[in-house]
Amino acid sequence: ARQGNPAAHQPLHVLAEQSLIAAGINTRDMDRTRIAQRALAQGTSDFTVVLENVLNKMLLAAYRPSAVTWSRFCATGTLTDYRPHARYHMGSFSDLKSVNEDGEYETGVLSDAAKETITGSRKGRILQITPEVLVNDDLGAFSRPTVALGQAAARAIEKDVYALLALNSGAGPTMSDGVALFHASHGNIPTAAAPDMASVDAGRQLMAAQMDVGANDYLDIVPTVWLGPLSLGSKAREINAAEYNDDANKQQRRPNVVRGLFADVVDSPRLTGTAWYMFADPTQEPVIEVAFLNGVQTPTIEQELNFRTDGVAWKVVHRYGVAAVGWRGAIRNAGV
């Protein structure tokens, strides 16, 4: 792409001057400082537009490959504004009943839907480019903070998701029914045990036994993601891959009944201690949702001329919300 491009290896101050000349401005009597000031002034040239475009590409390039795990066990949603948005778990209808030959059909009841809410907010930082950056041809003063901003934007969601799990001493956020996400009344806390075939199977059974909102039928939810600290991740992968149950009598060669249960094993340094989790497919039974304003999943850039410094400031903003939207699709084992 650089072949035949005369601007490919030009210094910043030269590119700034060329942008002014292209805009019909005579730069013959201008020094570097004056050229930099005029180039950064909105409406003078296209230089700030080019910088904003480059900034945006660098920001997104740093944002996308960041090592985040939240998308592997959280649902992704959309918000239309900053007001609370409802997330419903639909109720169920009463069971059908037999009718005698001369009898009447009984009226059934559709149970009310359970509702949780999620609210968006704004997070951001300002990156400023002064004329000195152009005069000194300091491209690093432009690129380094841009990359750091992209990484920070991705890191913000990751931190918020794990902070949500850490609420109430690890029991998670308080739900609409007044109790924590992981609570005995929600039926998602198995007997504390280290991850092994028996404890994973116990968690699987507990999740499968969850009932719909109207308590008319079992949901038969299947866990697909294991989540825990780094110290337990290797054990979880071993359990998921093992063909036989090594804890049983090896002469009998009993099979591993939870082999391949998890499509993904997520271990994170943001989790410590002995607790570990099992999550259902977030597209089927969401527990935690990350929702983005108007569906824009990447940070956005807004530009402003800074009159006090003769520079240009770019505001990088990420608009999203994180919330627990259900409790049936996950279990938390406190471990030992």
Side-chain angles (χ1 to χ4, degrees), residues 163-188:
L164 195 72
L165 289 174
L167 292 175
N168 291 315
S169 300
T174 301
M175 308 296 285
S176 61
D177 58 3
V179 299
L181 167 60
F182 298 103
H183 192 272
S185 65
H186 288 163
N188 55 13

Side-chain angles (χ1 to χ4, degrees), residues 7 66 88 95 145 168 239 254 281 297 303 319:
S66 297
Y88 291 98
D95 292 341
N168 291 315
I239 294 168
R254 291 177 58 187
D281 183 338
Q297 298 185 23
Q303 179 177 290
R319 300 172 175 88

